Amino acid sequence: MLVPRRYGGFEHDLGSFWRLTIALARGCPSTAWCFCLPAGHALQTGMLFEEDVQAELFGDGYYLCPAVAAPAGRAKRVDGGWELTSTHPYSSGAPYATHYMGQTFAEGDDPAGPPGPLLLFVAPRAAWTMLDDWGDTLGLKGSGSHSIRFEQAFIPERFVLEDTWMVDTNVAGGTPGSRIHGNPMYAGRTLAFFQGELAAIMIGAAKGACDEYEEMLRTRRTYRPPVTLRIDDPDYQRWYGTAVARVATAEAALLQVADQWNELCRRSVEDGIPFTREEDLRLNLVAREALTIAWEAMQAQIFRTAGTSYARAGQRIERIFRDMSIGWSHVGTILADWTAREWAREHFGLVQQVPRPDGAAKAH
């Protein structure tokens, strides 16, 4: 969906990508997770790399590239590229991947001392091994979020970007992708994009829970007099209506994030108005609020009132609840307070340097 047209993709906009993710998650959150995260990184690949490298990476357009933003290991510069030994957990979509995008540190002058600059790299499937270490979490067991391991793997120089941070990407002055493809979406910042992926999955999952809850209302009876189908009971009507309203609100908010993100990309490329870090953080916060609203609908209305028979292993509501609980505990949600604080600091002009994993804070 996000692979550029010139390489065989559809080059769909962000809203379309998130709508499809929502639809998939409505059926199965694990499937949507396994689809969304590796498919989504076509956007960063199409944005950051030069034309000849993109042509090689995208190939015939079938491109699934899990990514983990947390740096792992160190890469040693060798003739023609880098030699990497590292392990990257939570590489969602790894079983079906064609490539992997990751972050590591360049080896410093002293191998035992502090690391060198941050590196962003893409590695073909043949360069790494997938570990059999996924499936024992509470939920999202089918998300394919295995660890992958590099053992003295050779990464060609052309597949490595030095001093580049995947999560908080500065796109001032445009990007190779926006110039190659003529599409402003390949010049977008990334904080909101990553958070929006998680929100889309959670919203779709909550929609699936609402579907199951509606079926319960049509087929199950109340516990207390007047004993009637739950669809006729005022309390169940109110719980269901509240859940549906919350999920619809979350979806509307997320799709508005997509529209605003698209416009900020267009404005940056066509009008020369920078897509700022403050704006990216704000959209990240809105996407996280959408995720939170979807979770609240699930745990406060659907799961709480469905009854313990729907919490039995194998019940659809039970499975969706487990999947959503893992989404709720994702690091993107844990960072909510940092993101709100960082947006406020940006808004008040208090950020002079942007901190990075390699400790090399960059001038703002």
Side-chain angles (χ1 to χ4, degrees):
M1 293 193 74
L2 300 178
V3 170
R5 286 193 186 94
R6 71 169 56 200
Y7 304 123
F10 294 124
E11 202 172 304
H12 284 311
D13 63 87
L14 188 55
S16 297
F17 181 66
W18 283 348
R19 283 184 175 92
L20 177 59
T21 299
I22 290 169
L24 288 173
R26 189 171 188 168
C28 175
S30 279
T31 299
W33 197 283
C34 200
F35 156 77
C36 179
L37 274 66
H41 298 115
L43 188 70
Q44 282 74 48
T45 305
M47 176 175 71
L48 295 172
F49 289 90
E50 297 296 338
E51 185 173 6
D52 57 337
V53 179
Q54 290 195 32
E56 186 174 357
L57 290 172
F58 285 128
D60 62 1
Y62 186 72
Y63 183 80
L64 292 170
C65 186
V68 176
R74 297 189 185 187
K76 180 172 64 175
R77 190 182 288 276
V78 295
D79 186 30
W82 299 82
E83 183 182 273
L84 176 63
T85 296
S86 57
T87 300
H88 303 257
Y90 302 107
S91 300
S92 300
Y96 314 101
T98 62
H99 295 76
Y100 175 78
M101 179 183 289
Q103 302 258 215
T104 189
F105 297 110
E107 196 174 80
D109 295 335
D110 178 3
L118 187 67
L119 305 178
L120 184 147
F121 66 91
V122 175
R125 179 64 183 83
W128 48 269
T129 301
M130 186 184 79
L131 305 185
D132 185 15
D133 63 350
W134 189 252
D136 58 356
T137 51
L138 177 64
L140 291 175
K141 296 176 183 291
S143 67
S145 299
H146 300 255
S147 299
I148 70 166
R149 178 174 293 165
F150 293 89
E151 296 280 0
Q152 296 182 314
F154 175 71
I155 312 295
E157 182 77 34
R158 62 188 180 278
F159 293 166
V160 179
L161 298 175
E162 298 186 41
D163 198 31
T164 302
W165 191 10
M166 183 195 313
V167 171
D168 198 348
T169 309
N170 188 345
V171 296
T175 63
S178 64
R179 293 185 284 272
I180 295 166
H181 307 297
N183 187 335
M185 81 172 187
Y186 293 111
R189 296 188 70 104
T190 47
L191 283 167
F193 173 79
F194 286 128
Q195 187 61 44
E197 289 184 303
L198 306 180
I201 296 166
M202 293 284 278
I203 290 165
K207 279 191 163 188
C210 286
D211 293 340
E212 194 70 9
Y213 195 85
E214 179 176 349
E215 179 65 18
M216 178 198 73
L217 298 188
R218 294 180 182 277
T219 57
R220 298 291 296 271
R221 304 180 76 82
T222 58
Y223 297 112
R224 41 94 181 120
V227 177
T228 182
L229 282 175
R230 295 182 184 182
I231 196 173
D232 297 318
D233 182 82
D235 286 336
Y236 282 102
Q237 293 168 355
R238 177 169 56 83
W239 294 328
Y240 177 61
T242 300
V244 168
R246 286 185 169 180
V247 175
T249 299
E251 183 175 24
L254 181 63
L255 295 179
Q256 178 59 212
V257 167
D259 288 345
Q260 291 187 35
W261 187 89
N262 289 333
E263 173 58 18
L264 288 166
C265 292
R266 185 209 63 77
R267 191 182 69 173
S268 175
V269 172
E270 298 179 6
D271 301 336
I273 302 172
F275 187 162
T276 67
R277 186 169 183 261
E278 178 185 345
E279 290 163 332
D280 197 20
L281 285 163
R282 178 179 61 81
L283 293 181
N284 177 292
L285 287 168
V286 175
R288 187 180 287 100
E289 287 300 308
L291 182 155
T292 301
I293 292 169
W295 169 249
E296 289 297 323
M298 179 59 179
Q299 64 92 17
Q301 269 73 49
I302 301 296
F303 192 77
R304 181 179 67 85
T305 65
T308 52
S309 60
Y310 285 88
R312 294 181 180 276
Q315 290 292 321
R316 188 176 179 212
I317 285 179
E318 179 264 350
R319 178 173 58 81
I320 296 172
F321 180 84
R322 287 190 292 103
D323 286 349
M324 290 187 69
S325 73
I326 299 300
W328 180 242
S329 68
H330 188 274
V331 66
T333 302
I334 296 171
L335 291 174
D337 290 335
W338 175 88
T339 310
R341 184 174 67 250
E342 196 69 5
W343 174 83
R345 294 179 67 241
E346 285 279 0
H347 182 71
F348 293 117
L350 302 176
V351 179
Q352 303 302 318
Q353 292 183 319
V354 178
R356 291 161 33 113
D358 54 1
K362 295 299 179 181
H364 198 6

